[in-house]
C-alpha cells in the first residue's frame, strides 16, 4: 500500500497522515502497514494515534476528509491522461504541478506569517482564509488571502498551529513551519541560480538577477550575496514603526495598506505556468526587456498582473521604481538608494510620496468602481 500511495496521494501529505488514511479508509491493518514500511507496528500505531488526536483541529480534520474523498473513494474509470486545453497531461505531471503550486503558496503564506503580529484566520464554512497582521491600536491589516485547501495542507503538515479552535480559528506559524520556510526559500534560490547558470536569467525575477549580478557597473566578488527573499518584515513595516518629530508614525496605516496591496497583487501575479515575471521596464535604472501579459500562457494571474502594471504606470518613473523595489522586491531603503544613485536618507521621503500616490490610485479605482456599480 505504501508504494501505491506514492502515486495517488500528493507528495506534500505527511507520512503519518498517509498511513492513517491507509488504515482508516482502506482497512489495512497496522501490521501490514508496518511490514510495508519496514518498521515496528508500535511506530505505526503511535503515528495513527497522533493524527487522530489532531482531528480536533478543524483544518486538519477538513484536510483528512478531503484526502479521503479524493484519493480513497470508490474507484471510477479514469483516463491515463488529463486534457487541459490543447495539451495532454499525465497524472504524474498533474501531481507534480499540484505539488509545485503548493510549495509556491506555502512560501508566500509562511513568509507573511513570519511578520510580527501575523495570524492566519479561518472562519467556519468559508472557502478562503486570510492572513492579518496586528497594526496596533486595535487595528489589523489583511496581508494575504489563502485558499482553504492550502491552509488545510499547512495545518496537516504542522506548519501552522491553533491554540484555541472555534468559529474563527487563528493560526500562527510553528517551529516546523519556520524550518520549512527556510527550506523553501533555499529551494527557490537554487532554482533561480540554476536558471541563471543555464542562460535563462531572463526567466528569473529581476530582483534575483540584480542580487546575483549587481547593477550600475558594480564589480562582482566571490563572496555569495545574501538574498532578501525571506525577510520577516517588509521595509514598510519597519519604516512605519519610526516616528517623526511630532511623535506620529512616519508611515500611517493607510499608506502601509496601499503598499501591502501592491505587494499582494505582485505575489499573486507570480502564480501561473510562468512564475517569474519580468518587471524591469518599470525600473528607471534597468530597462532590460519588456512585459506583456499576452506573453504568458496562463490567465489565472492576469488580473493581478494588470493591477500591478496599472498601479506602477500611474506612479510613473522614479516613484514606480522605489515602490517596486521596496514594496515588491523587499529591498531595504539603503540598498534602493544606492542602486538608484540617491543621496543617503532620501529614499524614505520618496517612498512616502510614492505610497501617497499609490493610495490615491487605489482610492480613485474604488471610486470608479462605485460609479460603475
Amino acid at each position: 500500500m505504501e508504494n501505491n500511495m506514492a502515486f495517488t496521494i500528493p507528495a506534500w501529505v505527511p507520512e503519518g497522515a498517509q498511513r492513517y488514511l491507509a488504515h482508516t479508509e482502506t482497512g489495512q491493518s497496522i501490521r501490514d502497514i508496518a511490514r510495508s514500511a519496514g518498521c515496528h507496528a508500535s511506530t505505526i500505531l503511535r503515528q495513527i494515534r497522533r493524527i487522530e488526536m489532531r482531528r480536533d483541529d478543524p483544518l486538519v480534520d477538513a484536510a483528512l476528509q478531503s484526502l479521503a474523498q479524493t484519493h480513497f473513494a470508490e474507484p471510477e474509470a479514469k483516463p491515463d491522461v488529463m486534457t487541459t486545453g490543447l495539451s495532454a497531461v499525465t497524472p504524474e505531471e498533474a501531481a507534480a504541478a499540484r505539488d509545485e503550486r503548493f510549495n509556491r503558496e506555502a512560501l508566500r503564506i509562511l513568509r507573511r506569517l513570519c511578520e510580527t503580529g501575523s495570524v492566519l484566520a479561518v472562519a467556519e464554512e468559508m472557502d478562503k482564509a486570510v492572513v492579518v497582521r496586528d497594526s496596533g491600536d486595535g487595528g489589523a491589516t489583511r496581508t494575504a488571502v489563502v485558499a482553504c485547501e492550502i491552509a488545510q495542507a499547512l495545518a496537516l503538515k504542522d506548519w501552522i498551529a491553533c491554540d484555541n479552535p472555534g468559529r474563527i480559528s487563528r493560526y500562527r506559524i510553528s517551529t516546523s513551519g519556520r524550518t520549512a520556510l527556510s527550506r523553501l526559500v533555499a529551494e527557490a534560490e537554487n532554482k533561480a541560480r540554476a536558471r541563471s547558470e543555464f542562460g535563462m536569467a531572463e526567466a528569473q525575477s529581476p530582483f534575483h538577477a540584480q542580487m546575483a549580478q549587481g547593477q550600475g557597473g558594480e564589480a562582482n566578488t566571490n563572496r555569495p550575496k545574501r538574498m532578501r527573499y525571506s525577510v520577516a518584515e517588509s521595509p514598510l513595516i519597519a519604516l512605519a514603526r519610526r516616528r517623526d518629530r511630532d511623535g506620529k508614525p512616519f508611515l500611517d496605516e493607510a499608506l502601509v495598506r496601499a503598499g501591502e496591496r501592491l505587494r499582494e497583487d505582485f505575489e499573486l501575479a507570480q502564480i501561473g505556468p510562468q512564475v517569474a515575471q519580468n518587471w524591469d521596464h518599470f525600473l528607471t535604472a534597468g530597462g532590460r526587456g519588456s512585459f506583456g501579459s499576452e506573453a504568458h500562457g496562463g490567465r489565472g494571474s492576469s488580473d493581478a498582473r494588470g493591477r500591478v502594471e496599472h498601479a506602477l504606470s500611474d506612479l510613473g518613473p522614479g516613484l514606480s521604481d522605489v515602490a517596486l523595489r521596496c514594496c515588491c522586491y523587499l529591498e531595504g531603503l539603503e540598498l534602493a538608494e544606492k542602486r538608484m544613485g540617491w543621496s543617503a536618507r532620501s529614499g524614505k521621503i520618496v517612498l512616502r510620496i510614492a505610497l501617497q500616490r499609490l493610495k490615491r490610485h487605489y482610492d480613485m479605482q474604488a471610486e470608479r468602481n462605485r460609479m460603475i456599480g
Side-chain angles (χ1 to χ4, degrees), residues 82-210:
M82 292 177 289
T83 302
T84 304
L86 300 178
S87 61
V89 181
T90 65
E92 291 78 11
E93 291 172 338
R98 287 194 297 268
D99 292 334
E100 177 67 20
R101 174 179 176 265
F102 168 73
N103 286 337
R104 285 200 309 269
E105 282 289 89
L107 176 59
R108 180 174 72 94
I109 301 308
L110 292 177
R111 285 173 56 203
R112 285 300 196 179
L113 287 174
C114 275
E115 296 174 351
T116 304
S118 291
V119 298
L120 185 146
V122 185
E124 293 180 353
E125 300 179 356
M126 296 294 291
D127 60 351
K128 297 286 185 181
V130 294
V131 177
V132 295
R133 185 184 68 245
D134 183 10
S135 56
D137 301 326
T141 301
R142 188 191 75 179
T143 59
V145 179
V146 191
C148 268
E149 60 267 22
I150 299 297
Q152 293 166 8
L154 294 176
L156 185 60
K157 291 179 74 67
D158 199 25
W159 290 355
I160 58 175
C162 178
D163 296 330
N164 187 24
R167 189 176 64 85
I168 299 179
S169 301
R170 294 172 175 82
Y171 293 78
R172 300 184 184 276
I173 187 170
S174 63
T175 301
S176 58
R178 293 182 185 276
T179 302
L181 175 60
S182 298
R183 176 180 59 79
L184 291 171
V185 167
E187 291 177 356
E189 292 176 354
N190 289 337
K191 289 179 181 179
R193 190 176 301 112
R195 285 196 297 267
S196 177
E197 290 175 354
F198 284 96
M200 297 177 62
E202 71 278 3
Q204 69 183 22
S205 72
F207 176 53
H208 284 295
Q210 293 161 5

Side-chain angles (χ1 to χ4, degrees), residues 196 201 204 207-215 217-220 225 288 339:
S196 177
Q204 69 183 22
F207 176 53
H208 284 295
Q210 293 161 5
M211 291 298 290
Q213 301 171 3
Q215 187 173 333
E218 295 176 0
N220 291 331
K225 300 199 175 179
R288 301 187 306 274
R339 288 184 168 168

Side-chain angles (χ1 to χ4, degrees), residues 61-88:
D61 185 62
L64 292 171
Q65 289 184 26
S66 177
L67 289 169
Q69 294 171 2
T70 304
H71 301 283
F72 292 91
E74 290 297 325
E76 299 178 357
K78 296 182 179 180
D80 292 334
V81 297
M82 292 177 289
T83 302
T84 304
L86 300 178
S87 61

Side-chain angles (χ1 to χ4, degrees), residues 207 210-211 214-215 285 325 331 335-341:
F207 176 53
Q210 293 161 5
M211 291 298 290
Q215 187 173 333
R325 291 180 185 277
E331 287 186 5
L335 180 59
E337 290 168 350
K338 181 178 180 180
R339 288 184 168 168
M340 291 185 286

